[in-house]
C-alpha cells in the first residue's frame, strides 16, 4: 500500500465527441500534506476534485489514497468536502448542521465533539443561531466545522474562501492552518488566488488553461505562519504567476 494521495496519468473528457478537460495529470501528496491546485477557470480543478472524491469517473488513469480507489474512499466516508458556497441547511441551527453531518455519516472512527469544533472555528457563541442570521464569513466557518465533523483523513476543498472578503479570508486561513496542524488530514485545496495558496500550502500544482495539464510544481518551503509581505513569500508568488501565464520553467528560475 502506498501512503498518501497518488494521481497517475489522470485524464478526463466530457461529451460526444469528447472534449478534454484534464490531460495526463500526475502528482503524489504525502499523508498529512497540503497541496494547492491553482489554475484559471475551466482548467479542470473541480473535475480533479470530483474524480478524487469518487463523484466523477475518470476517462483514464488512476487515483488512490492510502491505496484505496475513489469509490472505496467514498464508501468509507473518508472524504471531507468544502465548496465555495456553504450550503448549510437554513432551517437547522448551526450546531444541528454540524451534528447532522455526523449522524448521516456513521463510521467506526471516533468523531470530534461538535461543541469543541464550533469553538475551534470561532463560533461557540453562534451555536444556536440559524445560518441566515450569520455573516458570509461565519457561514463559511460553520461549513468548515461541518466538514471537520466527520473526521475524514482527506479534505477536498473547492475554492472555499473565494466568496469571502480579504480580512475574513485571512483570519479563517489562520484558524484553518491551526486545525489542519492538529487533525493532520491530507488536503487538496483548489483556488485561483495565488497568495492564498502560497500562505496555506506545502506545494502548488499550477494548471494550464483547458485542458488542465500541470504547468509546474512550486514547493513552498517557508515556515508557518507566513508573512505575505516578505521577499521570500513574494518570490514564490511570482514563480507561480509566471507558470500560470505559461512561462517556460527556465525563464521562471532565471
Ligand atoms: P475549473 O474548476 O477549473 O473551473 P471544471 O473542472 O469545472 O474547471 O471544468 C473544466 C472543463 O470541463 C470546463 O470547460 C467545463 O465546461 C467542462 N465540464 C465540467 N463539468 C462538466 C460536465 N459535467 N459536463 C460537461 N462538461 C463539463
Ligand atoms: Mg471549479
Amino acid at each position: 500500500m502506498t501512503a498518501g494521495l497518488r494521481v497517475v496519468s489522470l485524464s478526463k473528457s466530457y461529451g460526444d465527441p469528447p472534449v478534454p478537460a484534464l490531460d495526463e495529470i500526475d502528482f503524489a501528496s504525502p499523508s498529512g500534506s497540503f497541496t494547492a491546485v491553482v489554475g484559471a477557470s475551466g482548467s479542470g480543478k473541480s473535475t480533479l476534485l470530483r474524480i478524487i472524491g469518487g463523484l466523477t469517473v475518470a476517462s483514464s488513469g488512476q487515483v488512490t489514497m492510502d491505496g484505496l480507489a475513489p469509490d472505496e474512499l467514498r464508501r468509507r466516508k473518508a472524504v471531507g468536502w468544502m465548496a465555495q458556497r456553504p450550503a448549510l441547511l437554513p432551517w437547522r441551527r448551526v450546531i444541528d448542521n454540524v451534528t447532522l453531518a455526523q449522524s448521516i455519516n456513521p463510521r467506526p472512527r471516533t468523531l470530534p465533539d461538535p461543541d469543541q469544533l464550533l469553538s475551534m472555528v470561532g463560533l461557540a457563541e453562534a451555536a444556536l443561531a440559524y445560518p441566515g442570521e450569520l455573516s458570509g464569513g461565519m457561514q463559511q466557518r460553520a461549513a468548515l466545522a461541518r466538514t471537520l465533523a466527520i473526521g475524514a483523513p482527506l479534505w477536498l476543498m473547492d475554492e472555499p474562501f473565494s466568496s469571502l472578503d480579504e480580512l475574513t479570508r485571512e483570519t479563517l486561513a489562520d484558524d484553518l492552518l491551526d486545525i489542519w496542524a492538529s487533525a493532520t488530514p491530507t488536503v487538496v485545496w483548489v483556488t485561483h488566488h495565488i497568495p492564498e495558496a502560497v500562505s496555506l500550502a506545502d506545494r502548488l500544482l499550477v494548471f494550464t488553461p483547458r485542458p488542465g495539464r500541470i504547468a509546474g510544481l512550486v514547493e513552498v518551503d517557508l515556515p508557518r505562519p507566513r508573512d505575505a509581505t516578505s521577499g521570500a513569500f513574494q518570490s514564490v508568488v511570482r514563480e507561480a504567476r509566471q507558470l500560470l501565464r505559461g512561462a517556460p520553467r527556465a525563464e521562471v528560475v532565471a
Side-chain angles (χ1 to χ4, degrees):
M1 185 189 87
T2 314
L5 176 66
R6 281 175 59 82
V7 173
V8 182
S9 293
L10 190 75
S11 296
K12 172 70 182 176
S13 297
Y14 289 107
D16 186 15
V19 179
L22 281 179
D23 185 25
E24 298 279 322
I25 301 296
D26 276 287
F27 67 93
S29 297
S31 290
S33 66
F34 198 127
T35 302
V37 176
V38 181
S41 179
S43 60
K45 305 180 300 297
S46 296
T47 297
L48 173 70
L49 285 196
R50 287 200 305 269
I51 293 172
I52 295 172
L55 301 179
T56 296
V57 178
S59 303
S60 59
Q62 287 94 42
V63 174
T64 53
M65 171 71 193
D66 294 342
L68 301 175
D71 53 348
E72 183 62 16
L73 293 174
R74 201 173 153 207
R75 205 182 59 75
R76 295 188 187 199
K77 314 279 189 202
V79 181
W81 285 94
M82 198 168 156
Q84 192 170 342
R85 301 257 158 245
L88 300 163
L89 298 177
W91 59 88
R92 284 184 179 257
R93 297 175 192 273
V94 166
I95 186 77
D96 299 329
N97 266 276
V98 174
T99 52
L100 182 71
Q102 297 188 323
S103 66
I104 60 177
N105 286 287
R107 80 219 53 240
R109 60 179 172 262
T110 319
L111 296 172
D113 174 61
D115 289 307
Q116 215 176 332
L117 280 174
L118 287 181
S119 298
M120 266 179 7
V121 300
L123 282 184
E125 316 276 280
L128 299 181
Y130 288 94
E133 298 170 322
L134 306 181
S135 68
M138 289 169 89
Q139 290 185 23
Q140 208 53 328
R141 286 176 180 275
L144 178 60
R146 188 187 49 188
T147 301
L148 303 181
I150 64 166
L154 177 63
W155 296 356
L156 301 178
M157 314 292 266
D158 198 353
E159 311 203 35
F161 291 174
S162 62
S163 63
L164 304 178
D165 61 81
E166 198 72 17
L167 199 63
T168 307
R169 180 194 288 253
E170 279 168 19
T171 50
L172 197 47
D174 288 344
D175 291 344
L176 181 108
L177 283 177
D178 288 344
I179 295 166
W180 170 64
S182 63
T184 62
T186 305
V187 180
V188 184
W189 183 281
V190 163
T191 182
H192 54 254
H193 193 276
I194 291 179
E196 176 187 295
V198 175
S199 70
L200 293 172
D202 295 317
R203 79 191 60 77
L204 275 55
L205 289 180
V206 181
F207 273 24
T208 62
R210 182 178 180 165
R213 295 193 187 92
I214 296 182
L217 183 89
V218 180
E219 295 286 344
V220 190
D221 195 10
L222 302 171
R224 295 180 179 91
R226 293 172 179 158
D227 173 8
T229 62
S230 76
F233 187 99
Q234 284 170 6
S235 104
V236 179
V237 168
R238 216 160 26 241
E239 186 183 349
R241 284 220 166 102
Q242 296 197 27
L243 279 171
L244 200 57
R245 289 195 198 116
R249 189 74 180 185
E251 216 175 294
V252 172
V253 174

Short mmCIF file of all heavy atoms in Angstrom, two decimals, residues 80-118:
data_model
loop_
_atom_site.label_atom_id
_atom_site.label_comp_id
_atom_site.label_asym_id
_atom_site.label_seq_id
_atom_site.Cartn_x
_atom_site.Cartn_y
_atom_site.Cartn_z
N GLY A 80 -13.76 14.66 3.29
CA GLY A 80 -14.45 15.86 3.75
C GLY A 80 -14.45 16.88 2.62
O GLY A 80 -13.40 17.15 2.05
N TRP A 81 -15.63 17.41 2.26
CA TRP A 81 -15.74 18.36 1.16
C TRP A 81 -16.02 19.74 1.68
O TRP A 81 -16.74 19.90 2.66
CB TRP A 81 -16.94 18.01 0.28
CG TRP A 81 -16.76 16.84 -0.61
CD1 TRP A 81 -17.11 15.55 -0.32
CD2 TRP A 81 -16.20 16.83 -1.93
NE1 TRP A 81 -16.80 14.75 -1.39
CE2 TRP A 81 -16.24 15.51 -2.39
CE3 TRP A 81 -15.66 17.83 -2.75
CZ2 TRP A 81 -15.77 15.14 -3.64
CZ3 TRP A 81 -15.20 17.46 -3.99
CH2 TRP A 81 -15.25 16.13 -4.44
N MET A 82 -15.52 20.73 0.97
CA MET A 82 -15.98 22.08 1.24
C MET A 82 -15.99 22.84 -0.07
O MET A 82 -15.04 22.74 -0.86
CB MET A 82 -15.07 22.76 2.25
CG MET A 82 -15.71 23.96 2.88
SD MET A 82 -14.75 24.52 4.29
CE MET A 82 -15.26 26.22 4.32
N ALA A 83 -17.06 23.56 -0.34
CA ALA A 83 -17.19 24.27 -1.61
C ALA A 83 -17.28 25.77 -1.37
O ALA A 83 -17.26 26.25 -0.25
CB ALA A 83 -18.43 23.77 -2.33
N GLN A 84 -17.39 26.48 -2.47
CA GLN A 84 -17.43 27.94 -2.44
C GLN A 84 -18.63 28.46 -1.63
O GLN A 84 -18.51 29.41 -0.89
CB GLN A 84 -17.53 28.41 -3.89
CG GLN A 84 -17.30 29.86 -4.08
CD GLN A 84 -17.17 30.20 -5.56
OE1 GLN A 84 -16.92 29.32 -6.39
NE2 GLN A 84 -17.35 31.46 -5.89
N ARG A 85 -19.77 27.79 -1.79
CA ARG A 85 -20.97 28.17 -1.05
C ARG A 85 -21.14 27.25 0.14
O ARG A 85 -20.97 26.04 0.00
CB ARG A 85 -22.21 28.06 -1.94
CG ARG A 85 -22.12 28.92 -3.18
CD ARG A 85 -22.98 30.18 -3.02
NE ARG A 85 -22.48 31.19 -3.92
CZ ARG A 85 -21.92 32.35 -3.52
NH1 ARG A 85 -21.82 32.63 -2.24
NH2 ARG A 85 -21.50 33.22 -4.39
N PRO A 86 -21.50 27.79 1.30
CA PRO A 86 -21.53 26.94 2.50
C PRO A 86 -22.61 25.84 2.48
O PRO A 86 -22.43 24.82 3.11
CB PRO A 86 -21.75 27.92 3.64
CG PRO A 86 -22.07 29.24 3.04
CD PRO A 86 -21.71 29.20 1.59
N ALA A 87 -23.72 26.03 1.75
CA ALA A 87 -24.76 25.01 1.65
C ALA A 87 -25.19 24.43 3.00
O ALA A 87 -25.30 23.22 3.18
CB ALA A 87 -24.33 23.88 0.70
N LEU A 88 -25.42 25.33 3.96
CA LEU A 88 -25.94 24.89 5.25
C LEU A 88 -27.45 24.73 5.13
O LEU A 88 -28.07 25.39 4.29
CB LEU A 88 -25.62 25.95 6.32
CG LEU A 88 -24.14 26.22 6.52
CD1 LEU A 88 -23.94 27.54 7.26
CD2 LEU A 88 -23.48 25.08 7.28
N LEU A 89 -28.04 23.88 5.95
CA LEU A 89 -29.50 23.77 5.95
C LEU A 89 -30.06 24.95 6.73
O LEU A 89 -29.80 25.10 7.92
CB LEU A 89 -29.93 22.45 6.59
CG LEU A 89 -29.44 21.20 5.87
CD1 LEU A 89 -29.86 19.94 6.62
CD2 LEU A 89 -29.95 21.17 4.43
N PRO A 90 -30.83 25.84 6.05
CA PRO A 90 -31.24 27.10 6.69
C PRO A 90 -32.21 26.90 7.86
O PRO A 90 -32.29 27.76 8.73
CB PRO A 90 -31.91 27.88 5.55
CG PRO A 90 -32.21 26.90 4.48
CD PRO A 90 -31.27 25.74 4.65
N TRP A 91 -32.93 25.77 7.86
CA TRP A 91 -33.92 25.57 8.91
C TRP A 91 -33.33 24.86 10.13
O TRP A 91 -34.02 24.52 11.07
CB TRP A 91 -35.13 24.80 8.37
CG TRP A 91 -34.76 23.46 7.80
CD1 TRP A 91 -34.69 22.29 8.50
CD2 TRP A 91 -34.41 23.17 6.45
NE1 TRP A 91 -34.29 21.28 7.67
CE2 TRP A 91 -34.12 21.78 6.41
CE3 TRP A 91 -34.29 23.93 5.27
CZ2 TRP A 91 -33.73 21.15 5.22
CZ3 TRP A 91 -33.90 23.28 4.11
CH2 TRP A 91 -33.63 21.91 4.08
N ARG A 92 -32.02 24.61 10.10
CA ARG A 92 -31.37 23.99 11.26
C ARG A 92 -30.36 24.95 11.88
O ARG A 92 -29.66 25.65 11.16
CB ARG A 92 -30.64 22.72 10.84
CG ARG A 92 -31.59 21.58 10.60
CD ARG A 92 -30.81 20.34 10.28
NE ARG A 92 -31.73 19.24 10.06
CZ ARG A 92 -31.96 18.29 10.98
NH1 ARG A 92 -31.33 18.28 12.13
NH2 ARG A 92 -32.81 17.32 10.71
N ARG A 93 -30.30 24.91 13.20
CA ARG A 93 -29.32 25.75 13.87
C ARG A 93 -27.91 25.29 13.50
O ARG A 93 -27.72 24.17 13.04
CB ARG A 93 -29.50 25.63 15.40
CG ARG A 93 -30.85 26.14 15.88
CD ARG A 93 -31.03 25.89 17.37
NE ARG A 93 -32.41 26.11 17.77
CZ ARG A 93 -32.91 27.31 18.11
NH1 ARG A 93 -32.12 28.37 18.12
NH2 ARG A 93 -34.17 27.43 18.44
N VAL A 94 -26.93 26.17 13.74
CA VAL A 94 -25.54 25.88 13.38
C VAL A 94 -25.09 24.55 13.98
O VAL A 94 -24.56 23.68 13.28
CB VAL A 94 -24.62 27.05 13.83
CG1 VAL A 94 -23.16 26.65 13.78
CG2 VAL A 94 -24.88 28.27 12.95
N ILE A 95 -25.34 24.38 15.27
CA ILE A 95 -24.88 23.15 15.93
C ILE A 95 -25.56 21.92 15.30
O ILE A 95 -24.94 20.86 15.14
CB ILE A 95 -25.13 23.21 17.48
CG1 ILE A 95 -24.52 22.00 18.18
CG2 ILE A 95 -26.60 23.32 17.81
CD1 ILE A 95 -23.04 22.05 18.36
N ASP A 96 -26.82 22.07 14.89
CA ASP A 96 -27.54 20.93 14.31
C ASP A 96 -27.04 20.61 12.90
O ASP A 96 -27.06 19.45 12.48
CB ASP A 96 -29.04 21.19 14.29
CG ASP A 96 -29.59 21.40 15.69
OD1 ASP A 96 -29.03 20.80 16.63
OD2 ASP A 96 -30.55 22.18 15.85
N ASN A 97 -26.58 21.64 12.18
CA ASN A 97 -25.95 21.37 10.89
C ASN A 97 -24.71 20.49 11.07
O ASN A 97 -24.44 19.60 10.27
CB ASN A 97 -25.55 22.68 10.20
CG ASN A 97 -26.62 23.19 9.24
OD1 ASN A 97 -26.69 22.77 8.10
ND2 ASN A 97 -27.46 24.10 9.73
N VAL A 98 -23.98 20.76 12.14
CA VAL A 98 -22.75 20.01 12.40
C VAL A 98 -23.07 18.58 12.85
O VAL A 98 -22.51 17.60 12.34
CB VAL A 98 -21.88 20.74 13.45
CG1 VAL A 98 -20.67 19.90 13.84
CG2 VAL A 98 -21.43 22.09 12.90
N THR A 99 -24.01 18.44 13.79
CA THR A 99 -24.32 17.09 14.30
C THR A 99 -25.03 16.25 13.24
O THR A 99 -24.85 15.04 13.18
CB THR A 99 -25.16 17.14 15.59
OG1 THR A 99 -26.29 17.97 15.35
CG2 THR A 99 -24.37 17.69 16.74
N LEU A 100 -25.80 16.91 12.35
CA LEU A 100 -26.47 16.16 11.29
C LEU A 100 -25.43 15.49 10.38
O LEU A 100 -25.58 14.34 9.99
CB LEU A 100 -27.38 17.08 10.46
CG LEU A 100 -28.15 16.36 9.36
CD1 LEU A 100 -29.23 15.47 9.96
CD2 LEU A 100 -28.78 17.34 8.39
N ALA A 101 -24.35 16.23 10.07
CA ALA A 101 -23.30 15.66 9.22
C ALA A 101 -22.76 14.39 9.87
O ALA A 101 -22.49 13.40 9.20
CB ALA A 101 -22.17 16.68 9.03
N GLN A 102 -22.66 14.40 11.18
CA GLN A 102 -22.14 13.22 11.87
C GLN A 102 -23.16 12.09 11.87
O GLN A 102 -22.81 10.93 11.67
CB GLN A 102 -21.76 13.56 13.32
CG GLN A 102 -20.64 14.58 13.38
CD GLN A 102 -20.12 14.80 14.77
OE1 GLN A 102 -20.87 14.79 15.74
NE2 GLN A 102 -18.81 15.02 14.88
N SER A 103 -24.45 12.43 12.03
CA SER A 103 -25.44 11.36 12.15
C SER A 103 -25.71 10.68 10.81
O SER A 103 -26.04 9.50 10.78
CB SER A 103 -26.74 11.89 12.76
OG SER A 103 -27.31 12.81 11.86
N ILE A 104 -25.58 11.42 9.68
CA ILE A 104 -25.80 10.76 8.39
C ILE A 104 -24.52 10.16 7.83
O ILE A 104 -24.50 9.61 6.76
CB ILE A 104 -26.47 11.68 7.34
CG1 ILE A 104 -25.59 12.89 7.05
CG2 ILE A 104 -27.87 12.09 7.77
CD1 ILE A 104 -26.17 13.81 5.97
N ASN A 105 -23.42 10.32 8.55
CA ASN A 105 -22.15 9.74 8.12
C ASN A 105 -21.60 8.80 9.20
O ASN A 105 -20.51 9.01 9.69
CB ASN A 105 -21.12 10.85 7.85
CG ASN A 105 -21.42 11.59 6.56
OD1 ASN A 105 -21.22 11.07 5.48
ND2 ASN A 105 -21.92 12.80 6.69
N PRO A 106 -22.37 7.78 9.58
CA PRO A 106 -21.87 6.94 10.67
C PRO A 106 -20.65 6.15 10.23
O PRO A 106 -20.57 5.72 9.09
CB PRO A 106 -23.04 6.00 10.96
CG PRO A 106 -23.81 5.96 9.68
CD PRO A 106 -23.59 7.27 8.98
N ARG A 107 -19.71 6.00 11.09
CA ARG A 107 -18.50 5.25 10.76
C ARG A 107 -17.87 4.81 12.07
O ARG A 107 -18.19 5.36 13.13
CB ARG A 107 -17.51 6.13 9.98
CG ARG A 107 -16.72 7.04 10.88
CD ARG A 107 -16.50 8.41 10.33
NE ARG A 107 -17.75 9.02 9.94
CZ ARG A 107 -18.00 9.40 8.72
NH1 ARG A 107 -17.09 9.24 7.80
NH2 ARG A 107 -19.14 9.95 8.43
N PRO A 108 -16.94 3.85 11.98
CA PRO A 108 -16.37 3.34 13.23
C PRO A 108 -15.46 4.34 13.95
O PRO A 108 -15.32 4.27 15.15
CB PRO A 108 -15.58 2.10 12.78
CG PRO A 108 -15.48 2.17 11.29
CD PRO A 108 -16.54 3.09 10.81
N ARG A 109 -14.83 5.28 13.22
CA ARG A 109 -13.83 6.10 13.91
C ARG A 109 -14.49 7.09 14.90
O ARG A 109 -15.66 7.41 14.79
CB ARG A 109 -12.93 6.83 12.93
CG ARG A 109 -13.63 7.77 11.99
CD ARG A 109 -12.60 8.45 11.05
NE ARG A 109 -13.29 9.20 10.02
CZ ARG A 109 -13.50 8.74 8.79
NH1 ARG A 109 -13.10 7.54 8.45
NH2 ARG A 109 -14.13 9.48 7.91
N THR A 110 -13.69 7.55 15.83
CA THR A 110 -14.18 8.49 16.82
C THR A 110 -14.37 9.86 16.17
O THR A 110 -13.49 10.33 15.46
CB THR A 110 -13.14 8.64 17.96
OG1 THR A 110 -12.63 7.37 18.25
CG2 THR A 110 -13.76 9.25 19.19
N LEU A 111 -15.51 10.46 16.40
CA LEU A 111 -15.80 11.75 15.76
C LEU A 111 -15.51 12.89 16.72
O LEU A 111 -15.70 12.76 17.93
CB LEU A 111 -17.26 11.78 15.32
CG LEU A 111 -17.62 10.75 14.24
CD1 LEU A 111 -19.12 10.72 14.01
CD2 LEU A 111 -16.88 11.07 12.95
N PRO A 112 -15.08 14.03 16.18
CA PRO A 112 -14.80 15.18 17.05
C PRO A 112 -16.07 15.68 17.73
O PRO A 112 -17.17 15.53 17.20
CB PRO A 112 -14.27 16.24 16.08
CG PRO A 112 -14.05 15.56 14.77
CD PRO A 112 -14.82 14.29 14.77
N ASP A 113 -15.90 16.29 18.89
CA ASP A 113 -17.03 16.84 19.64
C ASP A 113 -17.53 18.11 18.96
O ASP A 113 -16.76 19.05 18.72
CB ASP A 113 -16.57 17.15 21.07
CG ASP A 113 -17.65 17.85 21.86
OD1 ASP A 113 -18.72 17.24 22.02
OD2 ASP A 113 -17.45 19.02 22.25
N PRO A 114 -18.84 18.19 18.61
CA PRO A 114 -19.36 19.33 17.85
C PRO A 114 -19.17 20.68 18.54
O PRO A 114 -18.85 21.67 17.88
CB PRO A 114 -20.86 19.02 17.72
CG PRO A 114 -20.97 17.55 17.89
CD PRO A 114 -19.86 17.13 18.79
N ASP A 115 -19.34 20.71 19.87
CA ASP A 115 -19.17 22.00 20.57
C ASP A 115 -17.72 22.47 20.48
O ASP A 115 -17.44 23.66 20.29
CB ASP A 115 -19.58 21.87 22.04
CG ASP A 115 -21.08 21.73 22.17
OD1 ASP A 115 -21.80 22.58 21.60
OD2 ASP A 115 -21.53 20.75 22.79
N GLN A 116 -16.82 21.50 20.60
CA GLN A 116 -15.40 21.85 20.50
C GLN A 116 -15.05 22.35 19.09
O GLN A 116 -14.27 23.29 18.94
CB GLN A 116 -14.59 20.60 20.81
CG GLN A 116 -13.32 20.86 21.55
CD GLN A 116 -12.65 19.53 21.87
OE1 GLN A 116 -13.30 18.50 22.02
NE2 GLN A 116 -11.34 19.57 21.98
N LEU A 117 -15.66 21.71 18.09
CA LEU A 117 -15.43 22.15 16.71
C LEU A 117 -15.87 23.58 16.51
O LEU A 117 -15.18 24.39 15.89
CB LEU A 117 -16.22 21.26 15.75
CG LEU A 117 -15.61 19.91 15.41
CD1 LEU A 117 -16.58 19.11 14.57
CD2 LEU A 117 -14.29 20.11 14.67
N LEU A 118 -17.05 23.90 17.05
CA LEU A 118 -17.55 25.27 16.88
C LEU A 118 -16.64 26.27 17.59
O LEU A 118 -16.40 27.37 17.09
CB LEU A 118 -18.99 25.39 17.38
CG LEU A 118 -20.03 24.72 16.47
CD1 LEU A 118 -21.44 24.90 17.03
CD2 LEU A 118 -19.97 25.27 15.04
#
